[in-house]
């Protein structure tokens, strides 16, 4: 299995300091564009396992305890953008490596 | 032929309470709270047609409150706990030998224990002519109804009696629109509470309000008038013509029943009691204004409540409280003038010394009575400014040593605030709330047990929920206790801003900051979070009213504001178009139906008289709004912390009871304040008459039509913690009403905490309702012009956020379900129920997938 960078969309499809949803290999991904972060873009699953709906891309981006996180729009739990770890509950959402190259947004997948 | 009232159960002893005023009701409340209804079969008799009501606030019956507002119970407390009650029932005899009560209608009832809470009756001096028509007393709702009816047809009213209640009655006559006079036999007003100088300052203030005051005046007789219904002839040969006379010359204990049955009574009336409130018959108790303790009658509600508790304690054997007299200090507002009296106001104590301060310019007078050695405060008189009262009362009640410069307690402080007593100087036993007998220790205990805010402490201890006079002091004590516990009362909104919301509001406004980024750069640290971003987003909108999805604001918006719709549990949205005042044409109603059908939306009428369309996906929102806007709808801001709706009744347009056009007022108000972003959501209602069909008193802003204009109620709240709105101003014309609402809402927007509803804001406002009136009506802070300007700016810059969005391709892009795929979210599944769609449950989804698989 080799990881491949897949072009998902353009930088202009993203919203600064917020998320959008994308479909990659039949899976819903939440893409976040945070210009002030080292990595600039992040990709985690769009499924909120606590609220049980595909909504994480519509959460508010926050910076807490030195981590970039998103607060779920349903019940406000925080998920770390770089790892998918939930700060409040012992639960993780999937995460993918992502990068901004030129004006393209790439996500690493199998 | 006597019939007897059958008891519900024969196996429990009968406890009968005669009298259902405030004190009688408090007794029932207390005994139920302590489980006494399990031990006794409790039966209550009240002479009046109503169950207990709040007589302390009786005058509010003339300023918009109805009998239901003043009621202290609707009977459910009694019903739920097996307490039987009879209104319109006068007990006429006690047969103590047979332990039997006889009612006026001849029925009888046996008792084991009896509580007399018969209260008092108004004293009417036996002046010849005192029984003529158009003469009244001021004690019951029926009295007030009669006064109101008479006042409708006449122009001049006179109160006989210039005491506390007399001046309150004078205020009521003034509110009824009568030319009002007060006639007092004593040489000064409020002779019990005030000294000569205080009385004369008060007289000057009241005369400044167009009320004529005659002191040192004895009425000889009342006869037919020449220019009015009555002529009152005075002992000095002068006379006064008036249409209506209200006797308010003091109260007398209602002790006839006790005297008839041979219970010991005072020479000048009152049923003699001991510290347990037992009369000379150990099975009979007496509490409230009919009771005489140590030769004194206590005509205030707080001592009556203490007596009720003492009687309950003795009956149940807990003896938690005994009655050993009460402090009669009092502070009140009479005709809008502050009056306060503490302890030995007349300096009757041997050797006492006096400090006096008088300011004829601002019409205020203050006196302190101190002990011979100057160490203790014995009494005080205040006229014109009660802000000194709380501190003086605590020095007096707790015998705290006076400071070096004792006079500083009544001298105006150079910075405008009176010298306050540090609350840590108060002993643990200090009574903070005398209405509910809450001590500093009780508050400290509540804080230790986790009540960490004034609101929590109020809930646990009931402090400041009676007359409310101790609210400011309570807040100081709570803050002090928190400090002592080492609980850091952090007011920082989050880790990024070490400021309160109010600080941020001021920075944004004064420094003209227009974006989150520049506020963060100037005054914050880090990158922001889901606490500070929406707060700043809301403040920016309140102050500058930019389009909320503007590039620099979009990432600040929380769940619903971000997409201008309300997210539901499955990630779909509901849509609420604005329907101002709930009024909608059939054509528009049809449009809503058609749009809902086209997109298979679930439709529901909301509590706010609007229509909610559920089940729209993110991508459908702009399409749906395109259709709604072209049909003439605009956004209803149901997603925002902003004005939601103005509920209404049809008012005088259709209703046979309506006294004003509540429909038009509701629509006008909704159109004026729509789009205002505030610390939390705000709801209004407008009722066209006092029947209050729009339930305005449960709203942040409630407006009720009266014969004379509009009554304004503020800071009510339905929801989780219901709170009735406070009556803020009465009989306003349209223009003044709008002006006051502008100011109240903007002052709230400027000073409230994040996500703080107006009701909680009001509860935490130091000085409460009175302070808000000072700010809004009397412009105490000099802010009114600015508040109105700010509101006008919001009104002038209103835009329908959906209309703007549809015209902005950049904003529209964010409503795509996926950036790289045209499909839908397959996890959003609907099933049908009652002929409409609803989200499928997890189980239903699994079954559907299994079927499909």
């Amino acid at each position: 299995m080799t990881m491949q960078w897949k072009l998902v969309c353009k930088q202009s499809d993203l919203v600064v300091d917020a998320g959008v949803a994308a479909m990659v290999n039949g899976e819903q991904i939440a893409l976040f564009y945070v210009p002030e972060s080292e990595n600039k873009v992040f990709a985690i699953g769009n499924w909120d396992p606590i609220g049980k709906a595909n909504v994480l891309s519509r959460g508010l981006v926050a910076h807490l305890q030195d981590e970039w996180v998103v607060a779920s729009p349903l019940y406000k739990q925080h998920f770390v953008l770089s790892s998918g770890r939930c700060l409040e509950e012992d639960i993780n959402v999937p995460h993918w490596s992502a990068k901004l190259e030129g004006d393209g947004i790439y996500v690493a997948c199998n | 032929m006597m019939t007897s009232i059958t008891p519900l159960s024969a196996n429990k002893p009968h406890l009968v309470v005669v009298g259902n005023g405030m004190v009688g009701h408090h007794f029932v409340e207390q005994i139920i709270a302590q489980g006494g209804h399990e031990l006794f079969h409790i039966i209550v008799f009240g002479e009046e047609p109503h169950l207990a009501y709040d007589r302390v606030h009786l005058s509010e019956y003339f300023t918009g409150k109805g009998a239901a507002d003043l009621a202290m119970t609707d009977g459910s407390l009694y019903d739920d706990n097996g307490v039987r009650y009879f209104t319109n029932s006068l007990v006429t005899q006690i047969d103590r030998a047979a332990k039997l009560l006889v009612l006026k209608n001849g029925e009888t009832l046996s008792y084991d224990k009896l509580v007399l809470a018969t209260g008092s009756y108004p004293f009417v001096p036996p002046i010849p002519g005192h029984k003529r028509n158009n003469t009244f007393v001021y004690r019951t709702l029926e009295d007030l109804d009669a006064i109101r009816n008479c006042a409708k047809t006449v122009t001049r009213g006179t109160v006989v009696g210039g005491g506390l209640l007399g001046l309150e009655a004078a205020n009521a006559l003034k509110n009824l629109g009568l030319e009002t006079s007060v006639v007092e036999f004593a040489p000064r007003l409020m002779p019990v509470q005030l000294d000569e100088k205080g009385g004369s300052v008060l007289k000057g203030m009241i005369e400044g309000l167009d009320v004529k005051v005659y002191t040192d005046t004895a009425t000889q007789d009342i006869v037919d008038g020449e220019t009015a219904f009555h002529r009152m002839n005075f002992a000095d040969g002068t006379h006064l013509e008036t249409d209506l006379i209200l006797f308010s010359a003091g109260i007398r204990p209602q002790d006839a029943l006790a005297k008839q049955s041979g219970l010991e009574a005072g020479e000048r009336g009152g049923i003699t009691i001991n510290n347990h409130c037992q009369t000379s018959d150990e099975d009979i108790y007496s509490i409230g204004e009919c009771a005489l303790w140590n030769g004194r009658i206590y005509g205030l509600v707080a001592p009556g409540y203490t007596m009720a508790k003492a009687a309950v304690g003795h009956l149940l054997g807990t003896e938690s409280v005994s009655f050993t007299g009460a402090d009669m200090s009092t502070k009140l507002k009479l005709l809008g003038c502050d009056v306060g009296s503490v302890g030995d106001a007349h300096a009757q104590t041997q050797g006492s010394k006096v400090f006096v301060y008088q300011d004829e310019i601002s019409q205020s007078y203050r006196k302190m009575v101190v002990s011979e050695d100057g160490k203790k405060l014995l009494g005080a008189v205040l006229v014109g400014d009660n802000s000194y009262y709380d501190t003086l009362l605590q020095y007096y009640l707790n015998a705290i040593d006076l400071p070096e410069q004792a006079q500083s307690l009544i001298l105006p402080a150079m910075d405008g605030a009176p010298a306050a007593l540090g609350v840590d100087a108060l002993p643990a036993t200090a009574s903070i709330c005398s209405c509910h007998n809450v001590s500093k220790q009780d508050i400290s205990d509540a804080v230790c047990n986790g009540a960490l805010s004034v609101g929590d402490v109020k809930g646990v201890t009931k402090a400041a929920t009676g007359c409310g006079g101790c609210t400011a002091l309570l807040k100081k004590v709570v803050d002090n206790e928190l400090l002592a516990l080492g609980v850091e009362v952090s007011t920082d909104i989050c880790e990024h801003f070490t400021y309160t919301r109010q600080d941020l509001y001021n920075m944004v406004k004064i420094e003209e900051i227009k974006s989150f980024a520049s506020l963060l750069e100037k005054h914050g640290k880090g990158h922001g979070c889901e606490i500070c971003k929406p707060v700043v987003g809301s403040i920016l909108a309140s102050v500058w009213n930019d389009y909320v999805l503007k590039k620099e604001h979009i990432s600040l918006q929380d769940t619903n504001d971000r997409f201008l719709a309300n997210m539901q549990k499955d990630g779909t949205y509901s849509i609420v178009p604005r329907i101002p005042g709930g009024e909608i044409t059939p054509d528009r109603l049809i449009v809503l139906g058609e749009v809902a059908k086209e997109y298979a939306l679930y439709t529901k009428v909301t509590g706010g008289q609007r229509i909610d369309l559920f089940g729209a996906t993110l991508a459908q929102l702009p399409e749906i709004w395109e259709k709604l806007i072209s049909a003439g709808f605009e956004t209803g801001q149901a997603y925002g912390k902003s004005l939601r709706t103005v509920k209404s009744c049809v008012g005088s347009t259709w209703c046979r009871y309506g006294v004003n056009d509540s429909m038009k007022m509701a629509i006008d108000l909704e159109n004026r304040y729509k789009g205002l972003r505030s610390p939390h959501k705000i709801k209004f209602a407008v009722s066209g008459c006092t029947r209050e069909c729009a339930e305005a008193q449960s709203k942040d802003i409630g407006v009720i039509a009266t014969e004379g204009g509009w009554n304004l109620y503020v800071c009510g709240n339905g929801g989780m913690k219901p709170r009735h709105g406070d009556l803020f101003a009465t009989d306003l014309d349209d223009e003044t009403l709008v002006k006051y609402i502008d100011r109240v809402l903007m002052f709230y927007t400027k000073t409230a905490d994040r996500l703080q509803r107006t009701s909680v804001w009001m509860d935490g406002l130091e000085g409460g309702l009175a302070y808000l009136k000072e700010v809004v009506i009397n412009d105490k802070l000099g802010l009114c012009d600015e508040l109105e300007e700010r509101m006008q700016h919001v009104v002038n810059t209103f835009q329908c956020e959906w209309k703007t969005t549809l015209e902005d391709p950049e904003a529209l892009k964010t409503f795509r379900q996926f950036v790289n795929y045209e499909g839908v979210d397959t996890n959003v599944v609907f099933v049908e129920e009652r002929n409409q769609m609803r989200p499928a449950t997890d189980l239903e989804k699994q079954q559907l997938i299994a079927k499909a698989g």
Side-chain angles (χ1 to χ4, degrees):
Chain A
M1 278 285 203
T2 49
M3 294 284 266
Q4 288 193 326
W5 287 109
K6 186 173 170 125
L7 174 65
V8 177
C9 61
K10 291 190 181 132
Q11 183 192 328
S12 59
D13 289 319
L14 301 182
V15 182
V16 172
D17 289 334
V20 297
M23 190 66 95
V24 179
N25 297 347
E27 199 157 7
Q28 289 196 29
I29 291 183
L31 291 175
F32 295 90
Y33 179 35
V34 187
E36 286 181 59
S37 67
E38 207 173 325
N39 207 52
K40 305 281 185 273
V41 287
F42 299 93
I44 63 172
N46 196 27
W47 177 254
D48 173 352
I50 298 161
K52 295 200 170 67
N54 286 305
V55 294
L56 291 185
S57 57
R58 293 179 246 158
L60 214 139
V61 171
H63 191 256
L64 294 175
Q65 302 151 31
D66 287 334
E67 302 256 33
W68 288 100
V69 296
V70 62
S72 163
L74 284 168
Y75 302 113
K76 314 295 177 196
Q77 294 88 358
H78 300 93
F79 296 90
V80 178
L81 296 182
S82 58
S83 67
R85 181 171 61 87
C86 175
L87 296 184
E88 288 81 9
E89 313 246 346
D90 193 9
I91 202 165
N92 280 286
V93 298
H95 75 282
W96 293 263
S97 299
K99 68 177 183 184
L100 165 63
E101 209 167 81
D103 74 340
I105 305 298
Y106 297 84
V107 172
C109 36
N110 303 326
Chain B
M1 172 67 207
M2 284 200 186
T3 52
S4 60
I5 294 173
T6 24
L8 283 177
S9 66
N11 55 4
K12 278 194 271 187
H14 285 191
L15 168 61
V16 181
V17 186
V18 180
N20 189 242
M22 294 177 80
V23 172
H25 172 70
H26 194 73
F27 174 89
V28 176
E29 258 188 338
Q30 291 296 317
I31 200 155
I32 287 173
Q34 297 185 39
H37 57 300
E38 309 284 353
L39 306 173
F40 289 100
H41 179 53
I42 305 170
I43 302 121
V44 178
F45 292 105
E47 182 187 356
E48 290 187 52
H50 314 269
L51 278 173
Y53 53 90
D54 183 351
R55 232 186 282 274
V56 172
H57 296 102
L58 189 62
S59 294
E60 292 177 22
Y61 193 59
F62 283 151
T63 54
K65 289 219 164 151
D69 298 310
L70 294 171
M72 302 184 80
T73 176
D74 57 4
S76 56
L77 175 79
Y78 293 28
D79 294 330
D80 296 350
N81 294 289
V83 174
R84 293 182 77 194
Y85 59 88
F86 299 87
T87 50
N88 279 319
S89 296
L90 182 65
V91 176
T92 51
Q93 282 180 52
I94 307 171
D95 181 342
R96 286 169 47 207
K99 293 190 110 173
L100 204 66
L101 296 177
V102 182
L103 273 73
K104 193 176 177 179
N105 64 4
E107 290 184 322
T108 61
L109 178 73
S110 67
Y111 70 85
D112 297 286
K113 298 283 179 185
L114 181 62
V115 178
L116 300 176
T118 44
S120 59
Y121 62 91
F123 168 67
V124 178
I127 303 163
H130 73 271
K131 286 189 175 159
R132 290 165 52 88
N133 283 343
N134 291 8
T135 60
F136 304 94
V137 293
Y138 195 81
R139 179 149 184 105
T140 67
L141 289 172
E142 287 65 40
D143 293 335
L144 270 64
D145 282 330
I147 294 165
R148 191 190 336 234
N149 281 333
C150 176
K152 281 178 184 160
T153 58
V154 302
T155 55
R156 284 177 277 179
T158 301
V159 178
V160 175
L164 196 152
L165 195 60
L167 293 179
E168 191 170 318
N171 192 43
L173 293 188
K174 202 166 161 279
N175 285 338
L176 290 170
L178 300 184
E179 288 170 38
T180 306
S181 309
V182 175
V183 176
E184 167 60 46
F185 178 73
R188 63 172 181 274
L189 291 174
M190 294 185 73
V192 179
Q193 292 85 0
L194 299 183
D195 57 3
E196 193 181 337
K197 194 76 217 169
S200 84
V201 172
L202 180 64
K203 182 178 172 188
M205 289 171 86
I206 288 174
E207 285 173 334
L209 295 163
D210 278 347
V211 173
K212 290 196 180 64
V213 180
Y214 302 84
T215 47
D216 227 347
T217 303
T219 310
Q220 272 188 317
D221 62 8
I222 307 167
V223 296
D224 284 346
E226 281 174 28
T227 61
F229 189 81
H230 305 287
R231 170 181 285 201
M232 299 168 70
N233 289 313
F234 299 140
D236 63 3
T238 59
H239 64 260
L240 170 68
E241 298 251 323
T242 183
D243 298 308
L244 175 160
I245 298 177
L246 214 171
F247 290 103
S248 183
I251 54 169
R252 296 288 182 270
Q254 190 73 269
D255 55 8
L257 189 59
K259 283 178 173 163
Q260 163 273 320
S261 62
L263 291 173
E264 193 180 311
E267 265 175 50
R268 295 167 56 198
I271 309 164
T272 308
I273 57 168
N274 64 15
N275 293 6
H276 306 304
C277 300
Q278 282 170 298
T279 64
S280 54
D281 178 332
E282 63 175 17
D283 290 324
I284 304 180
Y285 296 77
S286 177
I287 55 178
E289 290 178 342
C290 58
L292 183 79
W293 182 87
N294 204 13
R296 285 196 67 174
I297 295 277
Y298 290 89
L300 292 177
V301 74
Y305 281 4
T306 310
M307 290 181 193
K309 289 187 186 84
V312 168
H314 193 254
L315 272 161
L316 301 182
T318 56
E319 299 200 17
S320 44
V321 186
S322 59
F323 185 79
T324 52
D327 172 53
M328 296 296 279
S329 300
T330 180
K331 80 169 162 181
L332 23 107
K333 241 190 171 46
L334 292 164
L335 293 133
C337 312
D338 276 353
V339 178
S341 172
V342 173
D344 179 12
H346 299 297
Q348 288 163 331
T349 313
Q350 191 71 39
S352 57
K353 304 262 191 307
V354 168
F355 292 98
V356 174
Y357 169 81
Q358 190 178 354
D359 168 354
E360 288 189 342
I361 292 175
S362 74
Q363 287 193 304
S364 55
Y365 168 79
R366 295 190 279 280
K367 178 173 89 172
M368 267 167 66
V369 181
V370 301
S371 57
E372 195 164 9
D373 59 8
K375 283 200 170 140
K376 303 284 182 196
L377 183 74
L378 305 176
V381 174
L382 301 171
V383 179
D385 183 354
N386 269 349
S387 57
Y388 297 77
Y389 178 89
D390 287 354
T391 296
L392 292 169
L393 181 70
Q394 292 301 330
Y395 272 101
Y396 163 72
L397 286 179
N398 301 297
I400 297 169
D401 279 354
L402 286 165
E404 204 61 43
Q405 296 288 329
Q407 65 272 32
S408 66
L409 296 178
I410 54 168
L411 290 176
M414 288 309 131
D415 60 2
L421 176 70
V423 287
D424 44 356
L426 294 177
T429 52
S431 168
I432 304 298
C433 169
S434 56
C435 291
H436 291 283
N437 201 12
V438 181
S439 68
K440 185 177 166 189
Q441 185 65 51
D442 296 333
I443 292 165
S444 166
D445 292 348
V447 172
C448 286
N449 292 324
L452 298 182
S453 70
V454 171
D456 289 351
V457 172
K458 275 183 177 178
V460 174
T461 62
K462 283 190 143 184
T465 60
C467 71
C470 62
T471 311
L473 183 64
L474 174 70
K475 184 175 186 306
K476 288 196 186 104
V477 174
V478 171
D479 288 349
N480 193 55
E481 291 300 321
L482 288 169
L483 209 63
L485 279 177
V487 176
E488 199 180 327
V489 190
S490 171
T491 52
D492 301 355
I493 67 164
C494 66
E495 64 182 73
H496 306 104
F497 288 98
T498 53
Y499 296 102
T500 63
R501 181 190 168 281
Q502 190 174 352
D503 295 334
L504 296 179
Y505 178 97
N506 290 333
M507 290 168 190
V508 164
K509 194 173 79 68
I510 294 159
E511 301 174 32
E512 300 199 355
I513 292 171
K514 303 275 169 82
S515 75
F516 179 77
S518 56
L519 184 69
L520 190 68
E521 189 187 355
K522 276 186 153 168
H523 299 289
K525 56 175 186 284
H527 306 283
C529 65
E530 85 280 3
I531 308 277
C532 59
K533 283 182 177 179
V535 169
V536 175
S538 162
I539 292 171
L540 291 170
S542 302
V543 178
W544 310 120
N545 214 15
D546 278 347
Y547 169 53
V548 292
L549 297 188
K550 218 174 164 176
K551 233 187 175 67
E552 58 264 49
H553 302 322
I554 192 167
S555 66
L556 307 179
Q557 309 308 335
D558 208 346
T559 308
N560 296 339
D561 275 318
R562 167 76 198 277
F563 297 103
L564 310 175
N566 292 51
M567 184 183 274
Q568 303 302 327
K569 64 192 285 187
D570 61 350
T572 64
Y573 289 92
S574 78
I575 294 168
V576 187
R578 187 165 295 288
I579 301 176
E583 181 181 271
I584 185 165
T585 62
D587 279 340
R588 285 205 183 164
L589 206 46
I590 288 165
V591 169
L592 292 183
E594 282 173 343
V595 169
K597 263 166 87 170
E598 182 178 351
Y599 291 90
L601 302 174
Y602 166 89
T603 55
K604 183 180 183 303
V605 176
T606 70
Q609 302 183 332
R610 313 201 281 187
I611 293 169
D612 207 345
L613 311 170
F614 287 78
T617 63
L618 187 59
Q620 287 173 335
L621 290 174
E623 290 177 45
I624 292 172
W625 271 106
E626 186 93 54
K627 291 190 160 65
L628 294 174
I629 283 172
S630 62
F633 284 102
E634 60 182 25
T635 181
Q637 264 113 359
Y639 44 81
K641 303 291 178 226
S642 51
L643 172 69
R644 294 296 177 82
T645 186
V646 181
K647 195 174 169 181
S648 69
C649 64
V650 290
S652 55
T653 318
W654 287 92
C655 175
R656 61 205 157 103
Y657 299 115
V659 294
N660 207 334
D661 191 350
S662 53
M663 199 65 250
K664 179 178 186 299
M665 181 52 80
I667 292 168
D668 290 351
L669 290 177
E670 182 153 352
N671 284 325
R672 179 169 180 81
Y673 300 110
K674 67 189 178 189
L676 168 70
R677 302 258 162 178
S678 44
H680 209 309
K681 62 183 172 191
I682 30 185
K683 299 177 176 184
F684 285 29
V686 184
S687 278
C689 77
T690 56
R691 283 179 174 70
E692 245 285 74
C693 294
E695 296 164 337
Q697 291 168 86
S698 66
K699 304 295 182 196
D700 300 278
I701 297 287
V703 178
I704 302 175
T706 65
E707 299 282 352
W710 305 99
N711 281 359
L712 172 62
Y713 289 79
V714 299
C715 303
N717 200 156
M720 191 164 65
K721 269 198 180 160
R723 177 192 191 275
H724 262 164
D726 292 307
L727 183 60
F728 188 78
T730 56
D731 294 337
L732 303 172
D733 56 37
D734 293 9
E735 194 189 348
T736 313
L737 174 71
V738 169
K739 202 178 279 214
Y740 285 179
I741 298 174
D742 275 5
R743 295 172 186 178
V744 170
L745 287 182
M746 258 304 155
F747 190 58
Y748 161 65
T749 301
K750 184 182 161 74
T751 59
D753 212 342
R754 70 182 193 96
L755 302 184
Q756 187 177 46
R757 291 291 303 266
T758 55
S759 62
V760 181
W761 170 68
M762 166 74 97
D763 283 342
L765 213 54
E766 203 156 327
L769 178 67
Y771 172 73
L772 189 60
K773 283 184 183 174
E774 285 288 317
V775 171
V776 169
I777 299 172
N778 303 332
D779 202 9
K780 180 184 179 148
L781 303 178
L783 275 176
C784 288
D785 287 350
E786 186 205 312
L787 296 174
E788 285 177 41
E789 274 163 38
R790 296 243 63 95
M791 186 59 86
Q792 199 53 49
H793 171 76
V794 170
V795 173
N796 296 346
T797 52
F798 171 80
Q799 55 185 308
C800 168
E801 286 152 346
W802 265 109
K803 193 163 178 286
T804 311
T805 302
L806 293 174
E807 291 160 0
D808 180 347
E810 271 305 299
L812 277 178
K813 257 172 53 178
T814 66
F815 287 85
R816 290 177 294 175
Q817 198 77 40
F818 302 104
V819 285
N820 61 343
Y821 170 68
E822 288 300 320
V824 296
D825 179 356
T826 51
N827 183 61
V828 172
V829 182
F830 295 118
V831 295
E832 197 168 302
E833 185 173 81
R834 296 185 296 278
N835 306 321
Q836 293 207 71
M837 311 307 276
R838 67 156 170 82
T841 63
D842 285 351
L843 186 64
E844 285 166 338
K845 278 186 198 172
Q846 284 165 17
Q847 290 167 339
L848 287 166
I849 291 165
K851 250 194 228 163

